[in-house]
Amino acid sequence: MNLARVSNNGQITVPVEIRRALNVKAGDKILFFRKENGEITVQNTNITAIKEAQTAVMGSDYSEDEILTDVMELRYGANN
């Protein structure tokens, strides 16, 4: 079990064991998902973007550049 304290600004410091498990580094974004049963899960957006991109290109003829563009859009959002 790992414990994190919430600051007055709502910020938390992710414990080192969790950062390592998620392969999260400074500047990375993490996603919080609430499941139907109320459980909260955390994912590294890098991993999520790669999985979504892999699903999108299965059986297609995407070029490497198109795949990279899709991954960047999923990771950083269409507006960034």
Side-chain angles (χ1 to χ4, degrees):
M1 181 186 292
N2 291 285
L3 183 66
R5 184 179 309 256
V6 179
S7 75
N8 289 336
N9 295 330
Q11 298 173 329
I12 61 169
T13 299
V14 179
V16 67
E17 294 88 3
I18 303 302
R19 291 194 313 264
R20 287 180 184 150
L22 293 173
N23 195 27
V24 173
K25 297 178 182 41
D28 285 353
K29 295 178 182 178
I30 56 175
L31 296 172
F32 294 87
F33 291 100
R34 183 173 184 193
K35 296 182 178 182
E36 288 184 22
N37 66 2
E39 181 181 349
I40 305 293
T41 61
V42 181
Q43 292 183 359
N44 183 334
T45 58
N46 296 338
I47 303 300
T48 304
I50 290 169
K51 286 179 182 177
E52 289 182 26
Q54 285 174 331
T55 300
V57 300
M58 288 248 189
S60 70
D61 58 351
Y62 272 102
S63 72
E64 192 172 319
D65 289 336
E66 290 171 319
I67 293 170
L68 180 59
T69 299
D70 286 348
V71 168
M72 298 304 280
E73 285 180 8
L74 287 169
R75 182 172 182 198
Y76 298 109
N79 297 329
N80 293 334

